[in-house]
Amino acid sequence: MTVRVLALVGSLRAGSHNRQLAEAAVKHAPGHVSVDIHEGLAEIPFYNEDIDVEGSVPAPAVALREAVSGADALLLVSPEYNGTIPAVLKNAIDWLSRPYGTGAITGKPVAVIGTAFGSYGGVWAQDEARKSAGVAGGAVLEEARLSVAESVTRFATTHPADDAEIATAVLEVLEQLATKANA
């Protein structure tokens, strides 16, 4: 059985190294895992209970919830913005946490990876993403980690998918997600 992993990328920038890291996950997924990158996080309005009303939930939020419901696991790919999680990724987690206790993220295995310009690879943001996803109800894999430092230098001429060390690390994270999803 194929484990379906949905990747949510916290950077909207066209040339994002985090988007490229998600692309590396697509390329290097083991045969029993498929990875899809969710498009459309930029179109989801900020979470507001007043618009989260059955029958009138904004279409991009419905699409996100349906995509996550159809996935076996989530891969959150987070850069670090001012020492924390990007708003677009936090907003997606907020939408997925509702309705409280039964949101699309509830019980879903979640791993967080990312890359950043700094020498720590965005670990603060990734820790915040793990915390937020866990509070929202996700089954966060604390041990499934990949923080790639100095992205601007490291990926200046090499796409993460073509970096052997990244390929191996992404494969390990996906194997951990698949194991948790099949448990």
Side-chain angles (χ1 to χ4, degrees), residues 121-133:
V123 292
W124 288 349
Q126 293 157 34
D127 287 346
E128 289 294 319
R130 283 183 197 89
K131 175 184 168 187
S132 184

Side-chain angles (χ1 to χ4, degrees), residues 80-96:
E80 188 168 281
Y81 292 177
N82 298 314
T84 193
I85 185 173
V88 69
L89 189 55
K90 176 65 169 75
N91 188 49
I93 293 168
D94 290 345
W95 276 101
L96 294 171

